Amino acid sequence: MSRVQTLLIALTVVSSGLVEAQSPQGFGNGRFTEAYSVNLGANYSSMDVAELNQDGIPDMVMVSETLNSLIYLESSAEGVLQISATYDIVYPATFHEVLMIDFDLDGLEDCILLSEDGSLLYMERQAVGFSEVPLTIPGVNFFTGFHAADLDGDGFEDLILTTQPGIAGGGDTHVMASAGNSELTLSPITFPNANVVATTDIGMDGDQDLYLVGSQITILENLGGMDFLQLQVVDVPEESDSILVGEVLLDDPDGNYTPDLLLFPLSGFGVYVFPGSLLGTIGSPVYQLDSKIEQSSEHVLANLEGSGSDDLIYINSLEDEFQVLRADGEDGIPFGSLDHYDIDPDSSCLTLCDFDLNGTFDVAVNSESTGLLRVFYGKAPDADFSRGDVNRDGQINLADPVVSLSSLFVAPDSTLCMDALDCDDNGSVDISDPIILLNFLFSGGQSLPEPFGLCAEDSTVDFLDCSIYQVSGTCP
């Protein structure tokens, strides 16, 4: 049983510092494969990743709106999530969103909960269990959202709170800041009303800047020490409940960062793309991708391959899939190919994290109706190969179909590049592939699909294994 406290947030002044921003970068090939699932035994509506047990491996916290409870999942040494504990919330509200942030600045992340009725609850760690501490701001009766970012640059994330206007006040966007405080404390600085908030480092100067979206988009540049300069105010084309800021239109090999803004309408269909500039301002929006982005939610931008522009990951509830719009298009056109992965109906929350700490991002998706948390591992970067050169000796001869047949029917060899075995490039390996190779060698069959006769990555999207960590030897 936990005791319930009330905390009135006091005013304080914050100091300056440095921050980091931009979309997270991985080092994979941009594709995923389902690894395992966890039966949670109940429906959970929101999740966040945190390091709970100080072992250096990411863990997870989830909240159930139906049960009004938390569930904690800790990772094994291999990065596999396992249920470790549950906690029943005592405070009389129905909580549906969770955010992990170091509230008391002790180096451990704490749990902040948001309820349907606009209440905000801080789960203060105790030797055993928690103290449930309601957070309040004078004049604010309803919190609508939260966002974590290090605005004051002291190395701790600050808590950005959006609120709903009321008769006695509210409607402003507030910040609980860390610099100079023993815990997150209300800053006297307020910002315009917003439905959603995003942050990035516009000028690559180490200070994190603000994008506030309500009836208008307000862009505020952080000059340091939370001294903000208004850069631009533009009207929104339609109401939105999700925005992202990142580089989606240009690869920018010169290293310059031009943050574009993605605004997702309430309908869940399509996206408005506002082209960015080096100065941080945005141009006129273009509505697009409504045939691909359908009943979407849980949008995330990440650079899955560690180069080029950002990829977009999201849930498509119409197809019961999570989808990835890949950053393999041309400059000036956001995204290119679309990858899709089956998930359970009523999947409502998604997070991106390198759970197994191998340098590639993984995806966790939870369904409220089945109670299953599914984890998809990111695939490692692809190795170069030459199609048909199965044994990677730099030539194609009888040894290659022999090795292929042996792997198919005698002893599967996980060190082979499966793309090299896929002689018709149809995304699967079966008996037809060594037959095609034998036909090429002895019956004048046609050349194999590229890459053939040279070493290169596969230009065809498929799910055959040919990672740099798996394949034995190098492509001659």
Side-chain angles (χ1 to χ4, degrees):
M1 182 69 66
S2 66
R3 62 186 174 89
V4 179
Q5 298 176 334
T6 300
L7 176 66
L8 182 65
I9 303 173
L11 293 176
T12 189
V13 179
V14 300
S15 59
S16 63
L18 298 177
V19 300
E20 53 186 14
Q22 322 320 351
S23 299
Q25 288 197 340
F27 184 62
N29 71 2
R31 296 188 289 274
F32 301 88
T33 183
E34 185 170 355
Y36 64 92
S37 63
V38 181
N39 189 343
L40 303 176
N43 55 337
Y44 289 84
S45 56
S46 177
M47 66 172 72
D48 201 4
V49 173
E51 214 283 85
L52 298 176
N53 53 7
Q54 297 179 284
D55 63 355
I57 305 175
D59 307 303
M60 182 180 289
V61 179
M62 306 178 71
V63 64
S64 170
E65 183 177 356
T66 304
L67 301 177
N68 213 33
S69 66
L70 298 171
I71 190 168
Y72 295 84
L73 297 99
E74 294 185 356
S75 293
S76 68
E78 294 75 30
V80 176
L81 291 168
Q82 302 167 331
I83 297 173
S84 64
T86 59
Y87 175 85
D88 293 328
I89 301 167
V90 176
Y91 190 82
T94 303
F95 293 95
H96 66 108
E97 288 189 48
V98 58
L99 176 70
M100 300 301 294
I101 189 170
D102 187 358
F103 191 90
D104 56 4
L105 313 181
D106 64 352
L108 300 174
E109 291 186 289
D110 304 296
C111 184
I112 307 295
L113 300 173
L114 180 66
S115 75
E116 291 283 359
D117 65 0
S119 300
L120 201 64
L121 193 66
Y122 160 42
M123 307 296 291
E124 183 181 19
R125 293 174 186 250
Q126 302 294 311
V128 178
F130 303 92
S131 291
E132 300 183 3
V133 184
L135 302 179
T136 63
I137 293 177
V140 173
N141 297 315
F142 199 108
F143 293 98
T144 58
F146 41 32
H147 182 88
D150 185 6
L151 296 181
D152 54 33
D154 65 346
F156 291 96
E157 289 187 319
D158 307 301
L159 183 61
I160 305 167
L161 300 170
T162 57
T163 66
Q164 179 175 291
I167 297 175
D172 292 332
T173 300
H174 298 265
V175 176
M176 296 185 68
S178 54
N181 303 310
S182 60
E183 66 178 15
L184 295 183
T185 308
L186 186 67
S187 166
I189 302 171
T190 60
F191 301 101
N193 175 257
N195 299 327
V196 285
V197 175
T199 54
T200 195
D201 184 357
I202 290 171
M204 303 284 287
D205 58 1
D207 295 308
Q208 198 148 7
D209 309 291
L210 270 174
Y211 293 73
L212 306 172
V213 177
S215 59
Q216 294 179 307
I217 301 171
T218 302
I219 303 175
L220 299 164
E221 182 179 7
N222 188 351
L223 303 179
M226 288 183 58
D227 178 14
F228 286 91
L229 172 68
Q230 182 176 291
L231 290 182
Q232 190 179 18
V233 178
V234 298
D235 292 331
V236 296
E238 62 178 290
E239 191 175 357
S240 168
D241 61 356
S242 176
I243 62 167
L244 295 172
V245 177
E247 205 162 40
V248 301
L249 292 175
L250 297 175
D251 285 346
D252 280 340
D254 57 3
N256 292 323
Y257 177 55
T258 54
D260 309 302
L261 187 145
L262 303 181
L263 184 145
F264 300 90
L266 283 176
S267 67
F269 286 82
V271 61
Y272 289 92
V273 179
F274 294 76
S277 71
L278 292 176
L279 297 177
T281 54
I282 53 177
S284 299
V286 176
Y287 178 71
Q288 51 196 290
L289 298 170
D290 56 316
S291 63
K292 295 182 177 180
I293 302 176
E294 305 168 309
Q295 289 187 9
S296 65
S297 62
E298 301 295 289
H299 312 99
V300 180
L301 276 180
N303 195 312
L304 298 176
E305 297 182 64
S307 62
S309 51
D310 295 336
D311 309 283
L312 177 65
I313 304 98
Y314 57 93
I315 290 175
N316 181 327
S317 297
L318 191 65
E319 303 290 343
D320 288 329
E321 297 174 339
F322 89 80
Q323 299 182 337
V324 182
L325 275 168
R326 303 285 299 279
D328 54 9
E330 299 179 2
D331 275 357
I333 301 175
F335 315 115
S337 60
L338 176 70
D339 295 341
H340 45 93
Y341 305 86
D342 291 338
I343 55 177
D344 295 316
D346 304 312
S347 292
S348 61
C349 51
L350 174 152
T351 193
L352 188 77
C353 178
D354 183 8
F355 289 109
D356 53 0
L357 300 181
N358 67 347
T360 64
F361 281 122
D362 311 310
V363 170
V365 187
N366 179 63
S367 167
E368 289 195 61
S369 61
T370 66
L372 284 179
L373 175 71
R374 298 193 182 273
V375 178
F376 296 76
Y377 281 164
K379 300 190 71 174
D382 292 324
D384 288 346
F385 73 99
S386 178
R387 199 175 304 278
D389 184 10
V390 177
N391 60 3
R392 296 173 76 81
D393 65 353
Q395 53 187 329
I396 296 178
N397 52 34
L398 183 58
D400 295 299
V402 169
V403 173
S404 179
L405 287 166
S406 176
S407 182
L408 280 170
F409 299 110
V410 180
D413 188 346
S414 62
T415 67
L416 297 176
C417 173
M418 299 308 291
D419 279 310
L421 276 68
D422 183 17
C423 292
D424 54 4
D425 195 22
N426 68 349
S428 64
V429 175
D430 53 37
I431 186 61
S432 66
D433 294 298
I435 291 174
I436 290 170
L437 193 51
L438 287 166
N439 186 50
F440 167 76
L441 285 169
F442 299 111
S443 302
Q446 63 183 4
S447 297
L448 306 186
E450 295 183 355
F452 177 64
L454 54 88
C455 292
E457 291 185 12
D458 194 3
S459 60
T460 305
V461 176
D462 59 42
F463 295 95
L464 295 175
D465 286 326
C466 188
S467 81
I468 59 174
Y469 305 122
Q470 166 229 336
V471 172
S472 175
T474 58
C475 186

